Amino acid sequence: MFNKVLAAGAVLACAFGSVQAEPVKIGFITTLSTPAGYIGQDLRDGFLLAVQQGQGKLGGVPVELVIEDDGLKPANAKQAADRLVQSGVRLYTGVNFSNVLAAVVPSITKAGHTYVSAQAGPSMFAGARCDRNYFVASYQNDFYHSSAGIAANELGFKRMVVLAPNYQAGRDAIAGFKSTYQGEVLAEIYTKLDQSDFSVEMARVRALAPDGIFQFHPGGAGINFAKQYGNSGLNKTTPMLMPGFSMDARMIEATGDAAEGFYTTGIWSIALDNPQSKQFVADFRQAYGRTPTDYAMQAYDTAQWIGSALRRVNGDLGDMKAFQAALREVDFVSLRGKFALNNNQHPIQDMYLMRLVKNDQGALEPQVVRKIIADGKDAYASQCKLP
């Protein structure tokens, strides 16, 4: 195992063996503390796995990862971004929350540098405010959740309650779900981002008696929500549908059997049947002793994508337009299978419906039910004027 724990603001030199004079520095701003810290840890570790497999290089180019813990505070993240920009770092990734990303991206793109998102994909940067210096390796928030609306239709849920935290990604989640859901939304319930007690929300769901609920709560809030849903008995009467990162591998471990039978939608599952994904799951487990989450997968893909572009420009970020043109070539093999880039520099990709069931060892894991979106594109791309 390697780099299991890194302090805030740590600088990790990831160049082993032969080292060029100036390795490419990559600013990695993420959430490593707070109850949501495991998300940033998985993003970091997924990225680092690719670097370690490359002997300290991405695309054959030595890299140096400059890691900053934003503490889930936009102001902290902006200060870190401004400091790194002033120090000469020209390439960035790592932010996991949309409200934090909104504070970071303008500092980077206005300086003419490049940000490649491994996680957050808020609507504000996908349409009219798209930017040639901003790329997304994961998904656009609304599009990701539109798959849940399609799944709810196919599952026959005619009346639903939807719940999400009251911040950008939460609002995007509900907007995305509603954009494709054809039934009746009985209530939209917005929670606090750091909420831990959902008893009031549980009581309201019980009173409304929907066919099912759609909920988006990442990290620690999602663990508490699922546990309380199970303890309330609602998991026996009211099916739950959610994005994959509202019940990832770490959350499944924390919630136990309470999540059995829940439905998730997403771009990837550890059960996805392709050789590169299976190898990644095995390698991640060997390196870290745990099952990778979607966050780790997305960060690994981000590292491979960045590496493919660095290879094309021989590690020279002096001509940023050439590096960005190399990114647009999308010359890497994604763990999720198909991956293409839309005009707004967000992915075109497939989406799957999964169900949490017990495997042969008795552990819950998301099993693919079926593909529900093929070559999906977000709705904001038409507003983007990038050539």
Side-chain angles (χ1 to χ4, degrees), residues 87 93 339:
S87 73
T93 188
F339 181 97

Side-chain angles (χ1 to χ4, degrees), residues 1 6 27 45 62 82 100 116 122-124 127 140 177 181 197 200 209 217 267 276 280 308 366:
M1 298 185 186
L6 294 173
D45 291 349
D82 290 342
V100 178
V116 184
S123 56
M124 67 181 70
Q140 193 281 313
F177 176 84
Y181 180 55
D197 181 2
V200 173
H217 290 89
I267 58 178
Q276 63 269 25
F280 163 73
S308 71

Side-chain angles (χ1 to χ4, degrees), residues 270-293:
I270 60 171
L272 202 61
D273 189 16
N274 71 57
Q276 63 269 25
S277 178
K278 291 180 178 179
Q279 187 64 53
F280 163 73
V281 172
D283 291 346
F284 191 94
R285 283 172 169 163
Q286 182 177 12
Y288 299 108
R290 65 180 190 271
T291 298
T293 60

Side-chain angles (χ1 to χ4, degrees), residues 199-256:
S199 56
V200 173
E201 289 77 12
M202 302 296 170
R204 192 171 178 195
V205 169
R206 190 184 302 280
L208 290 167
D211 296 331
I213 70 165
F214 167 73
Q215 68 92 3
F216 159 65
H217 290 89
I223 292 172
N224 288 333
F225 188 97
K227 283 183 175 180
Q228 292 168 35
Y229 201 78
N231 291 337
S232 72
L234 283 168
N235 62 328
K236 304 296 184 184
T237 61
T238 310
M240 183 188 296
L241 174 64
M242 56 192 155
F245 46 76
S246 285
M247 191 48 64
D248 59 48
R250 302 279 285 272
M251 297 170 76
I252 291 171
E253 182 178 347
T255 55

Side-chain angles (χ1 to χ4, degrees), residues 120-240:
S123 56
M124 67 181 70
F125 298 138
R129 291 178 60 189
C130 62
D131 193 298
R132 68 178 64 255
N133 299 326
Y134 173 75
F135 295 77
V136 175
S138 51
Y139 49 80
Q140 193 281 313
N141 290 353
D142 301 43
F143 164 73
Y144 193 108
H145 300 290
S146 70
S147 64
I150 294 172
N153 298 332
E154 293 187 5
L155 291 168
F157 298 160
K158 304 295 186 184
R159 303 164 65 255
M160 294 195 72
V161 172
V162 297
L163 309 95
N166 191 16
Y167 79 118
Q168 184 65 52
R171 294 187 292 272
D172 284 349
I174 288 181
F177 176 84
K178 290 171 61 180
S179 71
T180 55
Y181 180 55
Q182 298 170 353
E184 179 185 2
V185 175
L186 299 177
E188 293 181 29
I189 301 175
Y190 290 94
T191 58
K192 296 179 181 178
L193 183 57
D194 58 351
Q195 188 165 326
S196 59
D197 181 2
F198 297 94
S199 56
V200 173
E201 289 77 12
M202 302 296 170
R204 192 171 178 195
V205 169
R206 190 184 302 280
L208 290 167
D211 296 331
I213 70 165
F214 167 73
Q215 68 92 3
F216 159 65
H217 290 89
I223 292 172
N224 288 333
F225 188 97
K227 283 183 175 180
Q228 292 168 35
Y229 201 78
N231 291 337
S232 72
L234 283 168
N235 62 328
K236 304 296 184 184
T237 61
T238 310
M240 183 188 296

